[in-house]
Amino acid sequence: MIVEAVRRLNNGELVAFPTETVYGLGADASNDLAIQKIYAAKGRPNDHPLIVHLAAPMTLLADPKTTTDVLADAWLKTVSPWVRDLPPAAMQLILAFWPGPLTLVLKKDKCVLDVITGGQSTVAIRSPNHPLAQALLMEFGRALVAPSANRFGKVSPTRAADVHAEFGNDSDILVLDGGDCEFGIESTIVDLSATDGIRLLRPGMITPSNIYAKTGLQIDTFNSSQQETEVPRVSGSLKAHYAPNTPLQLYQSDNWQTILHEFDTQIAKQNHVRKLRIALGIWGSITGLPTVAPNIALSGIQLETFTLPSDHVGFANSLYRTLRDLDLQHYDIILLPEPPAGEVWDGVRDRLQRAAFGSGPSSANQVSN
Ligand code: TXA
Ligand code: MG
């Protein structure tokens, strides 16, 4: 399968592959026409930049005798065709987290194609921590650009079947099946291109505290309300993103009861002929967060409940899968709990809020492009 994937990439075709975060839709990072196919397949505006995926020095990493200097040298060789210079902080991050779910935005080398960066002066790079992704990068021998393998604004895929569901009719796309993605939400993105500090552009499973603990580097957390008014440098920063077709509403702590009653009252007023089908996600009890068992009679509602992992790792892992599976069941409404406060939940809170904002049939929201 990898041989066929490499043949296709060399031929300027797209190949979807698994990473530890979500599935990516890959193209040869040196082939302008191939990269344009990504924008067309996703329906993504072409000023939205892509992440360059790089092979890791796996043999050196596997050898316990490899020194940090040797490793740093190998990484430098890998990244230098892409970046104008590599600040010491970037190398610290690479040594601490690569291969892994951390994307670095740096000043780009002049050779990087505009179709990758959307004409910006920076480039985003990462080395994914998935054996199949690394095998593909190694066999291909060059870098791959790869956005998440979903149509623009929709839920990212975390299984090979999800990618097939997104691009079903487009038989040109080969999908490498690497099973379920480990993390389930996209990589953390940090911007090192400014001189006055490192900014968090997209929260993910690697948090600013994780970065501080491993490297001593302080990350400026981004003010997302500020971001909305800027040109969307990060497409995931659009207010509506990662969105299911079924309307999704978030509830705070236990107020799902109030929300259900409100729906029930509305239904009664409108003399609906059929019941409203609502999927209600409630916390599992793993970490002692409140678990509720709905036990209320609502005449206008057909309620189906399911439990969600109440630890952030499990929740992130199943988030997109859950949204996709629920979407297929054509509920009228999906109700999910707001994640608790705390930095470890920032990644999933960000995705959930955007998913809720953009949810509903395409014609009814702003991500129909
Ligand atoms: O986990 C991930 O990062 C996945 C897997 C497949 O690697 N990829 C991913 O790609 O999430 P995508 O295209 O869905 O999101 C990449 C984000 C976009 O929001 C893009 O705007 C941002 O990275 N990005 C890329 N280059 C950038 C740059 N030069 N400056 C700022 N943001 C950039
Ligand atoms: Mg994406």
Side-chain angles (χ1 to χ4, degrees):
M1 205 63 157
I2 292 217
V3 174
E4 172 60 11
V6 168
R7 189 192 69 75
R8 291 194 186 204
L9 290 169
N10 277 320
N11 214 17
E13 292 169 50
L14 306 182
V15 171
F17 61 93
T19 80
E20 77 282 39
T21 58
V22 300
Y23 275 72
L25 184 61
D28 179 353
S30 63
N31 184 336
D32 206 314
L33 287 176
I35 300 167
Q36 285 177 32
K37 289 184 187 166
I38 290 183
Y39 290 99
K42 276 184 69 90
R44 173 162 161 157
N46 52 15
D47 59 347
H48 285 279
L50 300 168
I51 298 174
V52 176
H53 291 64
L54 303 166
M58 295 310 275
T59 320
L60 290 179
L61 283 163
D63 183 351
K65 292 194 293 295
T66 303
T67 62
T68 306
D69 283 353
V70 168
L71 206 52
D73 244 27
W75 280 122
L76 189 62
K77 280 202 187 77
T78 306
V79 303
S80 54
W82 300 96
V83 302
R84 203 174 70 189
D85 61 0
L86 197 72
M91 183 52 87
Q92 272 180 278
L93 291 173
I94 289 173
L95 288 170
F97 294 105
W98 279 15
L102 181 68
T103 296
L104 310 181
V105 171
L106 292 156
K107 290 256 182 263
K108 78 174 185 81
D109 183 85
K110 59 182 183 318
C111 298
V112 181
L113 298 174
D114 276 347
V115 66
I116 296 176
T117 64
Q120 299 182 61
S121 59
T122 54
V123 64
I125 54 174
R126 95 174 185 98
S127 186
N129 190 15
H130 191 291
L132 209 48
Q134 284 296 338
L136 180 66
L137 286 161
M138 185 70 82
E139 283 301 313
F140 182 53
R142 292 198 296 282
L144 294 173
V145 283
S148 50
N150 53 281
R151 293 191 187 269
F152 185 62
K154 292 299 173 189
V155 178
S156 301
T158 55
R159 300 167 292 201
D162 299 341
V163 184
H164 287 295
E166 288 286 301
F167 302 105
N169 303 329
D170 194 342
S171 54
D172 284 355
I173 299 172
L174 175 74
V175 183
L176 294 181
D177 190 347
D180 286 9
C181 297
E182 179 191 350
F183 290 98
I185 61 170
E186 301 83 349
S187 61
T188 305
I189 305 182
V190 292
D191 183 357
L192 294 107
S193 67
T195 46
D196 61 347
I198 308 173
R199 286 202 313 175
L200 181 69
L201 294 188
R202 180 172 72 184
M205 296 307 275
I206 294 178
T207 64
S209 298
N210 295 147
I211 292 177
Y212 184 74
K214 275 200 154 183
T215 63
L217 295 167
Q218 297 267 14
I219 307 295
D220 302 332
T221 48
F222 204 68
N223 175 350
S224 57
S225 59
Q226 194 183 326
Q227 202 174 355
E228 311 295 0
T229 62
E230 291 177 0
V231 180
R233 299 208 313 160
V234 180
S235 72
S237 76
L238 294 175
K239 208 168 168 195
H241 215 86
Y242 316 114
N245 294 316
T246 312
L248 165 67
Q249 192 171 327
L250 304 183
Y251 65 86
Q252 276 162 2
S253 51
D254 282 354
N255 87 345
W256 55 267
Q257 304 225 19
T258 319
I259 293 175
L260 288 183
H261 278 293
E262 277 166 13
F263 279 127
D264 197 43
T265 314
Q266 277 174 29
I267 289 284
K269 273 195 201 136
Q270 291 165 4
N271 288 324
H272 260 251
V273 282
R274 67 172 182 87
K275 292 189 177 200
L276 205 60
R277 288 183 61 235
I278 298 185
L280 171 68
I282 52 178
W283 296 114
S285 55
I286 311 165
T287 59
L289 283 161
T291 306
V292 283
N295 181 23
I296 43 177
L298 296 161
S299 54
I301 290 175
Q302 183 189 329
L303 187 65
E304 283 162 53
T305 60
F306 59 97
T307 55
L308 293 156
S310 42
D311 66 293
H312 71 281
V313 173
F315 191 95
N317 173 277
S318 63
L319 174 60
Y320 290 150
R321 220 167 42 233
T322 303
L323 289 179
R324 279 179 178 274
D325 291 346
L326 288 172
D327 231 4
L328 290 177
Q329 295 172 54
H330 302 291
Y331 288 101
D332 294 303
I333 295 149
I334 303 168
L335 281 177
L336 293 181
E338 284 265 13
E343 188 199 58
V344 293
W345 288 95
D346 281 353
V348 287
R349 189 179 315 103
D350 170 78
R351 307 310 192 274
L352 260 183
Q353 285 171 347
R354 293 175 204 286
F357 190 83
S359 64
S362 299
S363 57
N365 65 48
Q366 43 180 299
V367 289
S368 51
N369 50 351

